[in-house]
Amino acid sequence: MGFEPRIVGFLCNWCSYTGADLAGTSRIKYQPNVSVIRVMCSARIDPTFVLKALATGADGVIVCGCHPGDCHYSEGNYKTMRRFPLLKKMLKDFGVEEDRVRLEWVSASEGQRFSEVINEMTDKVRALGPSRIRISLDADKVER
Amino acid sequence: MDKKKLQIALYWGAACGGCDVAVLDTNEFILDVAAACDIRMWPIAADGKYKDIEAMADGELDLAIFNGAIRTSENEHIAKLLRKKSKTMVAFGSCAHLGGIPAMANQFNKEEIFEKAYLKNPSIQEGNAAVPTPHTRVEAGELEIPVFYKRVYKLDDIVDVDYYLPGCPPAPEQVKAVLKLIVSGGPLPAKGSVVGASDRALCDDCQRKKEEKMVKQFHRPWQILQDPERCLMEQGILCAGSATRSGCGVRCPNSNMPCRGCYGPLPGVVDQGAKILSAVSSIIDSKDPAEIEKILEGIQDITGYAYRFGMAASLLQRSVR
């Protein structure tokens, strides 16, 4: 059997999680590689969460929030919009491939789009292969 | 050896020597330490050989103060040796605490570092390039040097550490306070404590005026004329104060330089760099992705900035390139 990536998905409660729910109730099929963690707002995603997911074995991380202008808390997603590009710059320096970490806006009515986003993300991470982060960290404990 | 005196050793791993100078910066107080303690080893200031430490009984030292990170097999060997011979071990300074400046090298692998330092360095004469190897045969016999590790570790990756005294270097007043406590034999804090530092953020102690933090442009400290009264972040100068433990006496912002984060993360924080990154991005005054990208171009090296001292203690620890 080929490599199946483990992806952690952080979804905002108001738009993206509801969008994922809609995909479910509409019986839209998508690849089962994402483990979803529901958060109240995409702005709740401290960069620590993304780093911890990667450090503990995730092959990819996807963060989904409300479209700009649609945030339940009016400005939360703008904070994510500012934080994410800087985090991506930093991850590049750590040798994390660009496609492993992704930010997408998914509304509550976009069940179809949610499934497309997840399928695309899963395909890209599968093509990249397993993340080397966890493996390297474990190896460092044994071999200096 | 005077049995009644405290038996102590100070040692440096991968470090610049500034931590040892910080101990000496306690000025004449160091004489009180010398009067109350037998300094069994201190490479920068006193004699004492590795074989003397090796000859000691386990736990013979009351205190080992270790500064510097673990870069080579020698650093690891002495760290383990001192741990075995001491009752209490203190990680002294940012390098022992979090990896410090040496751990920034974890952005590169050993081959890249060797190439830069020993093969392509402009100061190397033609035909003289050579990479250090642990064993070299010469006419007189075999030479041995320590093994250069693949990456840098912080002290507690290698041995059990009792206390952490942060700072690059620790402020002399804090060093003095900690040494005083040890010399006086007073009750020590719980094992694993960060000592000689506060539990608050540097911003809490910084006297600069803080108002609205939203900026359209980032600057390096030399690029603008700063207002010495006002928060540096509000002026677009990156400052790690909001994500850094206080206790240093706000030395950098008081000298018109931004906080560099050397006192490490606040209590409960897992990854200081992630918090610095979060703080920096939160002050960008824009809701347009293209403009945000453009504003971010003003930040030269976010990884080096966020993990100037904490790379080895971070969640990712090193580049996997």
Side-chain angles (χ1 to χ4, degrees), chain A:
Chain A
M1 207 176 92
F3 161 69
E4 280 302 324
R6 293 192 64 180
I7 299 170
V8 175
F10 293 103
L11 311 189
C12 107
N13 179 56
W14 304 100
C15 297
S16 312
Y17 190 85
T18 315
D21 220 16
L22 180 63
T25 50
S26 315
R27 305 196 170 233
I28 301 168
K29 283 190 180 170
Y30 58 89
Q31 301 184 58
N33 301 58
V34 177
S35 302
V36 169
I37 297 174
R38 176 161 61 157
V39 291
M40 290 312 282
C41 179
S42 60
R44 178 66 184 91
I45 312 305
D46 187 315
T48 308
F49 300 173
V50 178
L51 299 178
K52 180 142 189 185
L54 293 169
T56 48
D59 298 302
V61 178
I62 183 161
V63 173
C64 300
C66 308
H67 284 272
D70 284 350
C71 178
H72 185 77
Y73 307 103
S74 47
E75 302 251 321
N77 51 2
Y78 289 117
K79 297 188 194 311
T80 309
M81 184 196 272
R82 291 165 194 145
R83 195 185 275 150
F84 223 76
L86 196 58
L87 177 62
K88 290 205 76 162
K89 273 188 181 193
M90 195 178 86
L91 288 173
K92 198 174 165 198
D93 290 339
F94 276 104
V96 179
E97 299 91 339
E98 170 124 32
D99 287 340
R100 286 199 194 276
V101 178
R102 180 165 179 175
L103 170 65
E104 284 291 341
W105 312 125
V106 175
S107 82
S109 60
E110 291 176 324
Q112 183 62 40
R113 191 175 128 72
F114 179 77
S115 71
E116 286 161 15
V117 164
I118 296 301
N119 279 334
E120 198 185 305
M121 171 86 185
T122 309
D123 289 343
K124 280 186 172 170
V125 178
R126 188 182 291 114
L128 284 171
S131 161
R132 281 163 295 145
I133 298 168
R134 171 72 185 275
I135 299 163
S136 303
L137 290 177
D138 286 346
D140 285 357
K141 289 179 191 142
V142 187
E143 189 205 336
R144 307 261 189 254

Side-chain angles (χ1 to χ4, degrees), chain B:
Chain B
M1 183 175 88
D2 185 341
K3 284 274 180 208
K4 283 184 298 253
K5 285 187 170 184
L6 277 177
Q7 304 298 307
I8 69 169
L10 294 92
Y11 189 76
W12 51 11
C16 66
C19 278
D20 285 309
V21 175
V23 176
L24 294 170
D25 270 348
T26 55
N27 299 330
E28 60 277 5
F29 174 75
I30 198 68
L31 300 174
D32 296 345
V33 174
C37 311
D38 259 349
I39 300 175
R40 303 286 291 275
M41 176 165 77
W42 189 8
I44 203 174
D47 208 1
K49 307 276 184 248
Y50 291 174
K51 64 174 168 40
D52 301 331
I53 304 287
E54 279 159 13
M56 285 178 189
D58 290 357
E60 185 172 327
L61 289 168
D62 294 296
L63 172 70
I65 294 175
F66 194 103
N67 74 68
I70 308 295
R71 169 90 263 183
T72 68
S73 54
E74 183 188 27
N75 302 150
E76 177 173 5
H77 171 66
I78 304 296
K80 284 184 169 162
L81 188 63
L82 284 173
R83 175 68 271 186
K84 205 163 151 227
K85 306 293 181 187
S86 353
K87 294 191 189 80
T88 304
M89 190 146 186
V90 175
F92 186 100
S94 302
C95 299
H97 179 206
L98 307 166
I101 299 275
M104 286 175 83
N106 284 3
Q107 286 181 76
F108 310 96
N109 60 37
K110 182 175 171 177
E111 287 69 37
E112 288 171 315
I113 294 167
F114 273 17
E115 183 173 298
K116 189 91 176 173
Y118 299 113
L119 299 176
K120 301 248 169 91
N121 193 310
S123 69
I124 295 167
Q125 277 186 336
E126 188 110 347
N128 243 355
V131 163
T133 45
H135 300 277
T136 311
R137 288 290 312 171
V138 292
E139 250 175 68
E142 192 174 84
L143 300 176
E144 190 188 348
I145 58 168
V147 179
F148 186 95
Y149 285 164
K150 286 191 305 187
R151 52 162 286 194
V152 173
Y153 298 83
K154 60 189 185 330
L155 184 61
D156 70 5
D157 289 333
I158 305 296
V159 294
D160 191 35
V161 170
D162 295 297
Y163 301 110
Y164 303 87
L165 179 54
C168 182
E173 319 81 73
Q174 297 283 20
V175 176
K176 198 167 151 182
V178 170
L179 289 175
K180 244 184 185 155
L181 180 71
I182 291 164
V183 169
S184 71
L188 296 173
K191 186 181 151 82
S193 297
V194 172
V195 296
S198 139
D199 282 348
R200 311 194 308 166
L202 183 102
C203 292
D204 288 328
D205 292 333
C206 179
Q207 296 301 312
R208 285 171 177 263
K209 200 160 46 171
K210 301 166 195 89
E211 288 161 339
E212 180 66 17
K213 283 183 199 16
M214 285 313 258
V215 302
K216 285 272 183 205
Q217 201 185 347
F218 288 108
H219 310 280
R220 308 191 82 181
W222 50 270
Q223 287 173 324
I224 55 162
L225 273 177
Q226 58 156 285
D227 175 352
E229 307 290 327
R230 194 168 169 225
C231 169
L232 290 159
M233 282 285 249
E234 289 173 14
Q235 302 181 60
I237 298 170
L238 299 187
C239 180
S242 58
T244 302
R245 201 184 264 273
S246 187
C248 56
V250 200
R251 288 180 295 183
C252 295
N254 284 349
S255 314
N256 296 333
M257 285 301 283
C259 170
R260 306 179 309 152
C262 74
Y263 266 60
L266 282 149
V269 170
V270 177
D271 189 301
Q272 186 189 15
K275 293 292 181 191
I276 292 175
L277 185 143
S278 215
V280 166
S281 54
S282 70
I283 67 167
I284 297 168
D285 185 12
S286 174
K287 292 179 178 175
D288 169 40
E291 190 185 24
I292 292 170
E293 271 307 327
K294 199 160 181 323
I295 295 172
L296 286 176
E297 280 170 18
I299 301 175
Q300 301 292 319
D301 173 14
I302 184 59
T303 309
Y305 185 75
Y307 294 109
R308 195 191 302 247
F309 297 96
M311 181 75 82
S314 70
L315 282 163
L316 299 186
Q317 298 179 31
R318 69 175 178 102
S319 171
V320 290
R321 267 184 299 142

